[in-house]
Amino acid sequence: MEKSQLGLIEQSFNVKYSDGVREALDELPDSFTITDPSIYGHPIVYASWGFLEVFGYSKNEVIGRNGRVFQGPKTNRRSVMAIREAIREERGIQISLLNYRKDGTPFWMLFHMCPVYSEKDGRVVHFLGVQVPILRRRKSLGGGIGRNGGVCHDGGNCREAVYRCCRREVCSNSIMGVDRAVSVDSVAGLDHTDVDVEGPCEASDQEKTKAIVIVNNIMSVLANYSELRGRLVNDKRCCQSVTSLLSSSLTISFGRIKQSFVLTDAQLPDMPIVYASDAFLKLTGFLRHEVLGRNCRFLSGEDTDRGTQLQIKQCIQNEQPCTVHILNYRKDGTPFWNFLHISPIRSASGKVAYFVGIQIEDTSEARGKQGLNPEMRHRSVVAAVKVAVRGWSMGASTS
């Protein structure tokens, strides 16, 4: 790992939490990781001792890596994509997943992931991922036991591996106030040779509840140590402002694009603007907080052609790109002719996540400039935005 990457990982914790947070997390016996979506590649910035025990890695082998390294040839791609989509949409997910230990042996786990929000502005600062091994027992150990009893059925002919936790631990940390569930540190030494990798393997209600309890315990630690730092975090977004809906890593990537453009969220009602470039603000005269959260129609005015507006609406409904010559208005009311190009932006799953709108003012000065014509300038911005969004959504997975 490069020194610059290591520095970012250290800063990821040191800036948000007070001293002692790692030691407090180290006392928890559960298997979990914490990742930072603002760092390129969405790396793991913390891995618990329980996680290292289950997966068979050392801490140095895990920190700085993306969670996809624990996947293998039989890991369900749809499940992986579901996790990626949850990360992109900054929401929680609980899903059964086949992962692989360092020695290559597969095992089923219940993966529970949730975003960690800044209470100040609602931005996601980390993702917390909890791994609960799904308890699997030989039928001879409890024939006829139902799902809640811990047997993983797969069509009545599942070859069951011995997959039991052997002891229970009680957490003495007063912050938790909840009896600890089954410890995971006895799982790593079990026989994995008889695991049915085809699946699916559903977790029991007890295992799902256990994952929620673990998440709550970890969030209590993070909240306590972030409060001491004066940067309180929460597992629920307290600030619902649209300004915080775009990930910090995408914001950084978009900041490198110097052209005037806005990004709207295709999944939100009325497709609000979630990003506006500095060049757009300079062109229109608006401040950023006056733009974010609004539909782009506020740039239209009395003499804006309604037929052109209808053309834009139809292209958006059909998820198709379009280029128009439209009369728009600045904040001070002065009109300007705009070479506007709108294009859908798809995530790695192929779903339209955003629309990008690129504005080039039509002036005699602009027409006389040497360089790329408007069409080429439009294409260059669309390409840059697509690379940023697809790269982020592909690299966002933690499993």
Side-chain angles (χ1 to χ4, degrees), residues 66 87 93 205 222 225 227 230 232 239 264 304 321-322 374 376 382:
N66 185 280
I87 292 171
I93 187 173
D205 291 340
L222 296 180
Y225 281 86
E227 185 175 18
L232 191 61
C239 174
T264 65
T304 302
C322 70
M376 293 300 295
V382 171

Side-chain angles (χ1 to χ4, degrees), residues 57 59 68 88 98 111 169 222 264 287 319 344 386:
Y57 288 89
K59 185 158 290 191
R68 73 174 71 92
R88 187 191 71 80
L98 184 74
F111 180 64
E169 293 188 3
L222 296 180
T264 65
L287 300 176
E319 298 183 348
K386 284 183 176 179

Side-chain angles (χ1 to χ4, degrees), residues 13-28 173-176 217-233:
F13 256 61
N14 296 343
V15 171
K16 300 175 181 70
Y17 309 105
S18 60
D19 295 340
V21 64
R22 286 186 176 85
E23 289 77 6
L25 293 173
D26 284 346
E27 293 178 2
L28 303 179
N173 194 320
S174 61
I175 299 174
M176 303 307 159
N217 289 343
I218 297 167
M219 285 304 307
S220 295
V221 173
L222 296 180
N224 180 60
Y225 281 86
S226 64
E227 185 175 18
L228 295 174
R229 178 67 76 182
R231 299 172 178 267
L232 191 61
V233 299

